[in-house]
Amino acid sequence: MAVNNGKKSVLFVCLGNICRSPIAEAVFTHLVKEKGQLDQWKINSAATIDMHVGKRADPRARACLENHSVAYGHTVRQVREEDFLKFDYILGMDHNNISNLRGIQPPKAKATVKLLGSYDPEGQEVIEDPYYGEDSDFERVYQQCLRCCKAFLDEV
Protein backbone atom coordinates (compact mmCIF):
# COMPACT_ATOMS: atom_id res chain seq x y z
CA MET A 1 0.00 0.00 0.00
CA ALA A 2 1.07 3.55 -0.65
CA VAL A 3 2.17 5.74 2.25
CA ASN A 4 -0.80 7.89 3.33
CA ASN A 5 -0.47 8.14 7.10
CA GLY A 6 -2.55 5.01 7.57
CA LYS A 7 -5.28 6.16 5.20
CA LYS A 8 -6.55 4.16 2.27
CA SER A 9 -6.39 6.06 -0.99
CA VAL A 10 -8.02 6.05 -4.39
CA LEU A 11 -7.61 8.15 -7.53
CA PHE A 12 -10.39 8.00 -10.14
CA VAL A 13 -9.22 8.69 -13.70
CA CYS A 14 -10.84 9.45 -17.05
CA LEU A 15 -9.75 11.25 -20.20
CA GLY A 16 -10.47 14.88 -19.25
CA ASN A 17 -11.48 14.72 -15.56
CA ILE A 18 -14.68 16.62 -16.35
CA CYS A 19 -17.34 13.89 -16.55
CA ARG A 20 -16.77 10.34 -15.31
CA SER A 21 -13.93 10.63 -12.80
CA PRO A 22 -15.37 13.68 -11.01
CA ILE A 23 -18.69 11.84 -10.70
CA ALA A 24 -16.89 8.77 -9.33
CA GLU A 25 -14.86 10.88 -6.90
CA ALA A 26 -17.93 12.72 -5.63
CA VAL A 27 -20.01 9.54 -5.30
CA PHE A 28 -17.25 7.68 -3.48
CA THR A 29 -16.59 10.61 -1.16
CA HIS A 30 -20.33 10.79 -0.41
CA LEU A 31 -20.48 7.05 0.38
CA VAL A 32 -17.40 7.18 2.61
CA LYS A 33 -18.81 10.22 4.41
CA GLU A 34 -22.14 8.41 4.98
CA LYS A 35 -20.21 5.56 6.62
CA GLY A 36 -18.33 8.02 8.84
CA GLN A 37 -14.99 6.96 7.32
CA LEU A 38 -13.91 10.17 5.58
CA ASP A 39 -10.93 10.56 7.91
CA GLN A 40 -9.72 7.11 6.80
CA TRP A 41 -9.50 7.94 3.09
CA LYS A 42 -7.60 10.11 0.63
CA ILE A 43 -9.84 10.52 -2.45
CA ASN A 44 -9.16 12.41 -5.67
CA SER A 45 -9.64 12.31 -9.43
CA ALA A 46 -7.53 13.23 -12.44
CA ALA A 47 -7.29 13.29 -16.23
CA THR A 48 -5.00 11.46 -18.60
CA ILE A 49 -4.78 14.61 -20.77
CA ASP A 50 -4.15 18.24 -19.84
CA MET A 51 -6.91 19.86 -21.92
CA HIS A 52 -9.12 20.95 -19.00
CA VAL A 53 -6.55 21.40 -16.21
CA GLY A 54 -7.59 24.16 -13.80
CA LYS A 55 -11.25 24.07 -14.87
CA ARG A 56 -14.31 22.65 -13.15
CA ALA A 57 -16.25 19.54 -14.08
CA ASP A 58 -18.71 19.63 -16.98
CA PRO A 59 -21.88 21.53 -15.97
CA ARG A 60 -23.97 18.44 -16.77
CA ALA A 61 -21.87 16.31 -14.40
CA ARG A 62 -22.25 18.94 -11.68
CA ALA A 63 -26.02 19.14 -12.28
CA CYS A 64 -26.33 15.35 -12.09
CA LEU A 65 -24.49 15.29 -8.76
CA GLU A 66 -26.61 18.17 -7.47
CA ASN A 67 -29.78 16.26 -8.44
CA HIS A 68 -28.60 13.49 -6.11
CA SER A 69 -27.53 15.90 -3.33
CA VAL A 70 -23.90 14.89 -3.78
CA ALA A 71 -21.41 17.70 -3.08
CA TYR A 72 -18.52 18.35 -5.44
CA GLY A 73 -15.91 21.07 -5.74
CA HIS A 74 -12.93 19.53 -7.55
CA THR A 75 -10.65 21.40 -9.94
CA VAL A 76 -9.41 19.37 -12.94
CA ARG A 77 -5.86 18.07 -12.73
CA GLN A 78 -3.75 15.65 -14.74
CA VAL A 79 -2.36 12.35 -13.48
CA ARG A 80 1.25 12.63 -12.35
CA GLU A 81 3.88 9.94 -12.00
CA GLU A 82 3.98 10.43 -8.24
CA ASP A 83 0.28 9.48 -8.05
CA PHE A 84 1.37 5.88 -8.58
CA LEU A 85 3.38 6.11 -5.37
CA LYS A 86 0.81 8.10 -3.35
CA PHE A 87 -2.39 6.16 -4.09
CA ASP A 88 -3.30 2.57 -3.24
CA TYR A 89 -5.77 2.34 -6.12
CA ILE A 90 -5.96 4.16 -9.45
CA LEU A 91 -9.26 3.33 -11.09
CA GLY A 92 -9.80 4.16 -14.76
CA MET A 93 -13.13 4.36 -16.53
CA ASP A 94 -12.28 2.58 -19.80
CA HIS A 95 -9.55 0.54 -21.48
CA ASN A 96 -7.96 3.63 -23.07
CA ASN A 97 -7.59 5.19 -19.61
CA ILE A 98 -5.90 2.03 -18.36
CA SER A 99 -3.58 1.94 -21.37
CA ASN A 100 -2.65 5.60 -20.87
CA LEU A 101 -2.06 5.00 -17.16
CA ARG A 102 0.16 2.00 -17.86
CA GLY A 103 2.16 4.20 -20.24
CA ILE A 104 3.15 6.60 -17.46
CA GLN A 105 3.23 4.14 -14.57
CA PRO A 106 6.73 4.12 -13.04
CA PRO A 107 8.50 0.78 -12.51
CA LYS A 108 8.21 0.92 -8.71
CA ALA A 109 4.55 1.93 -8.64
CA LYS A 110 2.62 0.86 -5.56
CA ALA A 111 -0.87 1.59 -6.87
CA THR A 112 -3.20 -1.10 -8.12
CA VAL A 113 -4.39 0.09 -11.55
CA LYS A 114 -7.68 -1.32 -12.80
CA LEU A 115 -11.09 -0.44 -14.17
CA LEU A 116 -13.62 0.99 -11.73
CA GLY A 117 -16.17 -1.02 -13.70
CA SER A 118 -14.47 -4.24 -12.63
CA TYR A 119 -16.42 -3.75 -9.39
CA ASP A 120 -19.80 -3.40 -11.13
CA PRO A 121 -22.17 -6.07 -9.78
CA GLU A 122 -24.06 -5.83 -13.09
CA GLY A 123 -20.87 -6.65 -15.02
CA GLN A 124 -20.62 -3.43 -17.05
CA GLU A 125 -16.84 -3.16 -17.04
CA VAL A 126 -16.51 0.04 -19.07
CA ILE A 127 -18.00 3.33 -17.92
CA GLU A 128 -18.78 5.04 -21.22
CA ASP A 129 -17.95 8.71 -21.70
CA PRO A 130 -21.16 10.80 -21.60
CA TYR A 131 -19.52 13.97 -22.95
CA TYR A 132 -21.18 13.89 -26.37
CA GLY A 133 -24.45 12.59 -24.96
CA GLU A 134 -27.43 13.91 -23.10
CA ASP A 135 -28.36 14.37 -19.45
CA SER A 136 -29.58 10.77 -19.35
CA ASP A 137 -26.05 9.61 -20.20
CA PHE A 138 -24.69 11.46 -17.16
CA GLU A 139 -27.38 9.80 -15.03
CA ARG A 140 -26.29 6.39 -16.42
CA VAL A 141 -22.68 7.19 -15.45
CA TYR A 142 -23.82 8.28 -11.99
CA GLN A 143 -25.76 5.04 -11.43
CA GLN A 144 -22.88 2.88 -12.64
CA CYS A 145 -20.38 4.79 -10.49
CA LEU A 146 -22.70 4.39 -7.51
CA ARG A 147 -22.86 0.60 -7.99
CA CYS A 148 -19.11 0.31 -8.56
CA CYS A 149 -18.11 2.59 -5.70
CA LYS A 150 -20.37 0.75 -3.24
CA ALA A 151 -18.83 -2.59 -4.28
CA PHE A 152 -15.29 -1.18 -4.19
CA LEU A 153 -15.84 0.27 -0.71
CA ASP A 154 -17.27 -3.04 0.51
CA GLU A 155 -14.27 -4.94 -0.88
CA VAL A 156 -11.48 -2.77 0.46
Side-chain angles (χ1 to χ4, degrees), residues 23-116:
I23 290 174
E25 177 191 359
V27 165
F28 190 73
T29 301
H30 184 78
L31 292 171
V32 168
K33 196 174 191 177
E34 282 185 333
K35 287 190 170 222
Q37 299 174 355
L38 197 54
D39 61 337
Q40 299 170 32
W41 280 92
K42 175 182 178 180
I43 307 162
N44 208 322
S45 65
T48 59
I49 62 171
D50 65 359
M51 179 182 284
H52 304 288
V53 170
K55 298 178 183 172
R56 296 181 67 207
D58 185 288
R60 296 166 295 172
R62 295 193 318 260
C64 180
L65 292 168
E66 189 174 305
N67 289 342
H68 291 280
S69 301
V70 175
Y72 188 73
H74 178 76
T75 300
V76 175
R77 74 173 189 87
Q78 189 173 14
V79 174
R80 298 179 292 265
E81 197 172 289
E82 60 264 24
D83 289 330
F84 293 90
L85 304 172
K86 292 180 178 179
F87 287 91
D88 299 318
Y89 299 92
I90 298 180
L91 302 177
M93 303 298 139
D94 61 36
H95 295 288
N96 286 332
N97 300 153
I98 298 300
S99 178
N100 291 335
L101 289 165
R102 297 253 188 253
I104 62 169
Q105 184 175 11
K108 295 186 180 189
K110 298 187 186 314
T112 298
V113 177
K114 63 193 296 187
L115 289 168
L116 174 60

